[in-house]
Amino acid sequence: MKYFKSFLGLFGVLCLILLYSQGCDSHNKDDFFSKNKHHEMVTFNSEENVLQLVLVSNGKTILTGNLGVALPSVLKQPTKETCAPGGKDCWFEWGDFARLHVTAPETQDDNDNCVTVEWYSDYGRKLEDCFDLTEGVHWYGGAETKVQSWPIENVAREEAPYVTGDFLQPVQFGGVLETYWLTSSGAALHVDEATPLFTSWNTTHKDKFCIAAADRWPYEERKNVRLQYEVCIPKSGENFKDVHKRSLRKYYKLPTQIPDAKMLVY
Ligand SMILES: *[C@@H]1O[C@H](CO)[C@@H](O)[C@H](O)[C@H]1NC(C)=O
């Protein structure tokens, strides 16, 4: 009984200390909120064991997806996470296996409202991110295909190197392609041209549009594999056409002269 009483006393004192420290420590509260803000963009979902990306603009969800889906399953959860104050510039690490850098503009109207995602790995031979093909959201852009579908999500495609080819052959694309896609929800996705890119949609990963970097044929082997891309989403008052118009100008230059007529001769 005596022990029980002193236990209660100790418990009371501990409670007071806890209450006091919580009331005084507003610094911790700020950290908590900024962490949560960043967590809206990239969070680890422990139920599904995957790092998730959620891009929101003007109160609407523009693009969601899973990051690092080709990481070995024991490595799905980052071992280290470092975010600059404000949570708009974050590094995720999986030991020395892979690193992920995600940056977002400070506000929706800064910097064209584009989020950059950069993966680096010395050991992983494939880095892959998959975005959700959401009901009612359409995907446009990409490459020339034999069965040209508009929007493109209507015809699923096996994983294939994203290079020009002979579209009469299985899985190959035609003679024109760009590493650029646009969704009707307002996401303009541009993959850096230096990425040894593979794409697939609604095949290996059901209801997903996947981009992967891997250094296998037809790409050369390289020391480290990098997957780099940018996703631009609407600023205040913009619709998906506005995002497309400014993104095209950002990634592609318009012709400045009339092409040589020889280019049009068969
Ligand atoms: C993906 O393919 C399945 C058939 O395999 C189809 O039922 C489904 O609607 C497709 N998903 C999308 C988003 O088009």
Side-chain angles (χ1 to χ4, degrees):
M1 197 60 195
K2 201 167 118 200
Y3 285 119
F4 183 66
K5 263 188 194 156
S6 51
F7 171 74
L8 273 184
L10 190 64
F11 189 69
V13 172
L14 275 177
C15 285
L16 277 177
I17 292 174
L18 271 177
L19 276 175
Y20 180 74
S21 63
Q22 279 204 337
C24 293
D25 205 346
S26 61
H27 175 74
N28 268 351
K29 244 190 229 162
D30 286 345
D31 276 354
F32 172 76
F33 283 120
S34 66
K35 214 170 154 76
N36 258 15
K37 227 184 274 163
H38 129 73
H39 270 182
E40 281 173 13
M41 187 168 69
V42 180
T43 48
F44 185 75
N45 180 326
S46 45
E47 263 164 49
E48 291 177 33
N49 197 28
V50 72
L51 200 64
Q52 291 182 322
L53 176 79
V54 177
L55 300 183
V56 175
S57 160
N58 297 327
K60 285 203 204 106
T61 301
I62 306 299
L63 188 71
T64 54
N66 295 342
L67 304 181
V69 299
L71 290 174
S73 56
V74 289
L75 284 181
K76 291 285 168 146
Q77 180 152 19
T79 51
K80 192 175 164 201
E81 192 180 313
T82 324
C83 288
K88 300 290 189 178
D89 185 338
C90 297
W91 281 93
F92 300 86
E93 289 173 36
W94 288 260
D96 60 1
F97 188 85
R99 281 177 302 141
L100 168 66
H101 189 197
V102 183
T103 57
E106 277 306 314
T107 75
Q108 163 166 315
D109 292 324
D110 285 347
N111 246 352
D112 294 336
N113 207 14
C114 300
V115 173
T116 61
V117 180
E118 300 166 281
W119 278 99
Y120 305 87
S121 183
D122 284 344
Y123 299 107
R125 283 356 281 170
K126 183 179 181 185
L127 299 166
E128 183 170 32
D129 291 348
C130 290
F131 309 106
D132 298 323
L133 292 171
T134 312
E135 185 77 43
V137 173
H138 301 301
W139 285 67
Y140 303 94
E144 190 187 15
T145 52
K146 184 178 166 207
V147 181
Q148 195 83 55
S149 164
W150 187 259
I152 61 171
E153 78 274 4
N154 289 342
V155 178
R157 281 194 76 98
E158 298 288 331
E159 183 180 281
Y162 196 72
V163 292
T164 53
D166 173 4
F167 69 21
L168 297 177
Q169 305 304 315
V171 309
Q172 292 193 27
F173 294 101
V176 180
L177 57 73
E178 298 290 358
T179 57
Y180 176 82
W181 293 269
L182 179 75
T183 71
S184 60
S185 58
L189 165 67
H190 178 258
V191 182
D192 189 278
E193 273 89 2
T195 298
L197 182 63
F198 289 76
T199 57
S200 70
W201 53 96
N202 203 11
T203 49
T204 320
H205 300 280
K206 282 279 166 235
D207 296 322
K208 304 266 192 240
F209 179 92
C210 299
I211 54 174
D215 63 345
R216 47 189 166 81
W217 188 89
Y219 302 106
E220 284 170 355
E221 270 181 39
R222 46 201 82 197
K223 187 174 174 299
N224 39 36
V225 174
R226 290 165 76 155
L227 171 61
Q228 306 199 334
Y229 58 92
E230 196 161 51
V231 184
C232 299
I233 57 177
K235 299 195 248 184
S236 318
E238 278 190 335
N239 62 22
F240 87 113
K241 186 176 166 189
D242 301 317
V243 178
H244 175 58
K245 280 163 80 178
R246 65 179 164 83
S247 300
L248 266 198
R249 293 285 183 280
K250 180 171 182 175
Y251 302 117
Y252 302 100
K253 288 191 179 66
L254 290 175
T256 52
Q257 289 184 328
I258 295 173
D260 191 319
K262 274 186 272 183
M263 283 184 66
L264 306 174
V265 177
Y266 178 63

